[in-house]
Amino acid sequence: MLEFDSGEYESICIFAEKSDDRDGWICLEGPGGKEQQVHMNDDWYRLVQLALPQNGTYRIRHKGVGLIQMYLSGGPDLMERGIRFLDPDSGDEMELGKWYDTPVREQYHFNPFMNWVNDPNGLCWFKGYYHLFYQSNPFGQEWNDMYWGHAVSRDLLHWTHMPYVLEPQPGPWRDKEHKGGDFSGSAQVEGEQMHLYLTRHHGPQEDGEETREWQTEAVCRDGIHVEKERPCITERPEGASFDFRDPKVQRAESGSLKVLSYRSTSRESGPLSVRTFLNWMGNMWPQAHGCATAMRPAGIR
């Protein structure tokens, strides 16, 4: 059993992985003794989110499930405080300075608290902060089913960890023969909304004609939470390969929105207009993949 104090946070997020093919479970006991229990059932792994309805000490019991990462989230001023990582063995707060200030840790570019990271996605300015999203596998140090991590900054130098915003669809959770999740994309700010565009992927471990990729949009209004995704393009265009992914959307000076969405079977980039993408007025416009601005982990919290 492990225990932790919630402080002003309102939820706990746990990256949990089942030990074998039997059912595993996680039980959260609150200050008043009330319990919340989650069963993994057919899921080999998943992000478990549990509410912390009142301040106080909580206890976690689990069986047949490994706790890979845990963090506290929600509550007031989250953009300034950031999430709080907890030791999955004891429940103690993990001091980020000790994790980042090591000879083997990257000391210039942004990197997540732990485990795999690849493509930066959706770098934008929204409601007083720069937002950086990134491809992540929270469960290990190799590429696997993809999540979108999230960090914010006011100066592109000091970064604050935020809750993960997107996770794989249930299919890959339950089938080790297939892979998938939230592949790369971009962000476009329109007034009081931030629109995230991304590729959903599902297919065998070796990509091929069975691989399915489709484009989706998720809207964020507060800079932290995203609403339910909606599909934009569910079938790849004629002549497109299974690499139908990584939409890059940007508003041009003319006011139109433009996007690049796929690679043809001849291995050339194929642009799609946003009229096709979301029934908006758009023009065909190829854009190269972007990269994140350099950052010092010493400023991460």
Side-chain angles (χ1 to χ4, degrees):
M1 179 184 292
L2 60 90
E3 65 177 45
F4 63 91
D5 187 81
S6 64
E8 295 186 329
Y9 290 98
E10 297 176 347
S11 65
I12 183 167
C13 300
I14 305 169
F15 290 101
E17 186 171 31
K18 197 161 61 170
S19 305
D20 53 42
D21 58 2
R22 292 172 293 182
D23 182 27
W25 52 264
I26 299 172
C27 181
L28 176 69
E29 179 186 333
K34 186 176 181 180
E35 294 185 347
Q36 302 176 59
Q37 193 167 94
V38 174
H39 287 264
M40 298 291 284
N41 296 319
D42 295 330
D43 298 336
W44 282 100
Y45 68 90
R46 60 183 288 196
L47 172 56
V48 175
Q49 302 184 57
L50 297 168
L52 307 176
Q54 63 186 93
N55 295 346
T57 300
Y58 288 78
R59 296 175 177 84
I60 293 178
R61 305 190 309 274
H62 57 98
K63 183 177 181 180
V65 175
L67 310 185
I68 309 302
Q69 290 191 58
M70 304 194 310
Y71 62 82
L72 300 177
S73 185
D77 302 320
L78 188 62
M79 301 283 277
E80 288 296 321
R81 293 186 298 133
I83 60 178
R84 180 195 296 171
F85 289 98
L86 302 179
D87 187 322
D89 294 322
S90 66
D92 295 338
E93 180 177 359
M94 304 187 78
E95 298 182 32
L96 294 189
K98 293 181 179 179
W99 278 76
Y100 281 96
D101 189 15
T102 70
V104 296
R105 187 77 158 182
E106 172 62 62
Q107 293 296 307
Y108 190 68
H109 296 88
F110 174 85
N111 49 98
F113 174 60
M114 62 183 296
N115 290 335
W116 177 269
V117 61
N118 54 284
D119 300 6
N121 301 140
L123 188 63
C124 64
W125 174 264
F126 182 63
K127 294 192 173 182
Y129 293 87
Y130 292 102
H131 292 258
L132 168 67
F133 302 94
Y134 55 90
Q135 298 277 279
S136 173
N137 171 24
F139 289 91
Q141 297 183 14
E142 297 180 350
W143 188 96
N144 209 310
D145 300 329
M146 286 288 99
Y147 290 71
W148 271 36
H150 184 200
V152 297
S153 172
R154 290 191 183 273
D155 60 6
L156 292 177
L157 182 64
H158 303 88
W159 290 86
T160 301
H161 286 292
M162 301 302 291
Y164 280 72
V165 294
L166 296 167
E167 59 182 314
Q169 62 275 14
W173 298 355
R174 299 164 184 164
D175 183 0
K176 290 186 175 181
E177 300 301 317
H178 288 75
K179 65 181 181 182
D182 310 289
F183 279 23
S184 288
S186 55
Q188 176 66 31
V189 174
E190 296 288 327
E192 295 298 308
Q193 299 180 358
M194 175 167 50
H195 297 255
L196 304 180
Y197 302 98
L198 62 138
T199 299
R200 284 280 176 180
H201 178 107
H202 187 262
Q205 292 295 331
E206 294 295 328
D207 285 331
E209 288 306 309
E210 294 181 37
T211 299
R212 181 171 176 243
E213 293 182 328
W214 63 101
Q215 318 306 316
T216 69
E217 177 202 31
V219 175
C220 176
R221 302 177 191 274
D222 63 0
I224 302 173
H225 306 95
V226 297
E227 300 172 4
K228 185 177 180 180
E229 291 174 59
R230 66 185 181 109
C232 300
I233 305 177
T234 57
E235 301 295 335
R236 67 190 189 198
E238 183 178 354
S241 74
F242 58 81
D243 278 329
F244 173 48
R245 56 187 171 90
D246 304 355
K248 305 298 179 185
V249 178
Q250 181 172 319
R251 184 171 291 282
E253 292 182 3
S254 63
S256 63
L257 287 164
K258 303 180 179 181
V259 63
L260 173 67
S261 287
Y262 71 89
R263 183 166 60 185
S264 70
T265 52
S266 63
R267 312 294 287 180
E268 296 177 352
S269 295
L272 282 179
S273 70
V274 179
R275 182 185 300 278
T276 303
F277 198 72
L278 275 175
N279 294 320
W280 290 340
M281 182 181 296
N283 299 310
M284 294 185 293
W285 177 75
Q287 175 180 323
H289 288 258
C291 61
T293 303
M295 320 146 193
R296 289 188 59 83
I300 295 177
R301 65 176 186 271

